[in-house]
Every structure is written in C-alpha cells, then in structure tokens.
Amino acid sequence: YVASALSTADLKWMYSLPWFISSSHLNALFVHAGFVSGIRLAKQNPRLMMNMRSILPDGTVTSKFFNNWPWARLWDGPQTVFFGHDADRGLQQYEHAIGLDTGCVYGGKLTACILPERRLVSVNAKREYFQYRRKHFD
C-alpha cells in the first residue's frame, strides 16, 4: 500500500497540508468528505471533513451511509463545495455542493469538474482496485 511506502519527509509534508482549500476566484471550497452547514469554516471538525457522509434528522454527523440523509443536501453556500468520499451515492449535484466520487477505486468511474465552467467529465476505471463492500443504514 502507498501509505507504508511514504518517507518521513512525505509524511511531514502531508501533515502540513490544509484540511480544505478555499478559492474566492472560483467561489468554491474543496474538501475530502464534507462540511457541517452553519459552522464557520475555521471551526469545522477536521475528522468530519475527512470522514462524514450523512447528517441525520437529529443533527448527528456520521461517516456511515444513510440513504436519505447526505450532508450535502444541507449545505447552503454561498461557496460551492466540491467533495468526494461518498461512492455509495455516486455523483451528487446540489445547488451549493457537488460530490464527485463515482467509485473509480471500485471499478466505477473517475469524475472531474472542469472549472470555472463546472463541466463534468468522467472516464471508466481501467479495473477494480479494491473490492467494494457496501454498508447501508436506513
């Protein structure tokens, strides 16, 4: 695996990276997994930014896939968030959030959004790189 091959310098560089990237020019945010709406960016929980998938009706934020409760449905901008980490839902398009994880690692597609025009493009994976194990919660 890639992680075991990383040098100390590689790890130091990775630890120095921001949890998200903000572009005022594109009016966009880029994050691995997501944000909780209503919380200032500087106050977002890094663990959630890397792992969240769902926000339940009671406000519980979870890394689990709950079909009807994607976190992105609640994001009200004004910046558009581009995110991944949610292959179960595939391509997600909301007014202020676009989920680009279309399961390439599982043999699905690799999807990108060309900015600033926000044109979506996808290519098929060459193969399945990791066996998919679906865990759904209602």
Side-chain angles (χ1 to χ4, degrees):
Y1 291 106
V2 174
S4 62
L6 295 175
S7 69
T8 301
D10 294 332
L11 291 172
K12 187 175 180 180
W13 174 77
M14 287 183 71
Y15 289 136
S16 75
L17 296 173
W19 292 105
F20 66 92
I21 296 171
S22 177
S23 171
S24 57
H25 173 70
L26 297 169
N27 194 33
L29 299 167
F30 305 89
V31 68
H32 179 74
F35 293 115
V36 178
S37 190
I39 297 179
R40 291 189 354 241
L41 292 174
K43 297 290 185 182
Q44 294 283 332
N45 181 320
R47 183 184 62 78
L48 297 178
M49 286 188 275
M50 295 298 293
N51 294 301
M52 67 187 293
R53 289 187 179 96
S54 303
I55 298 180
L56 304 181
D58 67 0
T60 300
V61 181
T62 178
S63 63
K64 294 177 180 174
F65 172 89
F66 284 87
N67 189 46
N68 295 321
W69 309 110
W71 72 268
R73 80 190 195 289
L74 300 172
W75 184 255
D76 55 4
Q79 293 172 294
T80 298
V81 177
F82 295 88
F83 66 97
H85 192 69
D86 202 353
D88 270 332
R89 288 190 178 92
L91 182 65
Q92 298 179 63
Q93 296 183 72
Y94 297 92
E95 184 177 357
H96 294 291
I98 298 177
L100 297 169
D101 190 340
T102 49
C104 182
V105 71
Y106 305 117
K109 293 182 180 287
L110 177 66
T111 300
C113 186
I114 309 300
L115 299 172
E117 62 268 23
R118 298 190 178 190
R119 181 171 52 94
L120 296 169
V121 294
S122 295
V123 296
N124 292 326
K126 289 187 177 182
R127 64 181 179 88
E128 181 182 61
Y129 299 89
F130 192 81
Q131 187 174 3
Y132 186 61
R133 292 190 327 230
R134 182 172 296 206
K135 291 182 180 179
H136 285 203
F137 301 87
D138 294 323

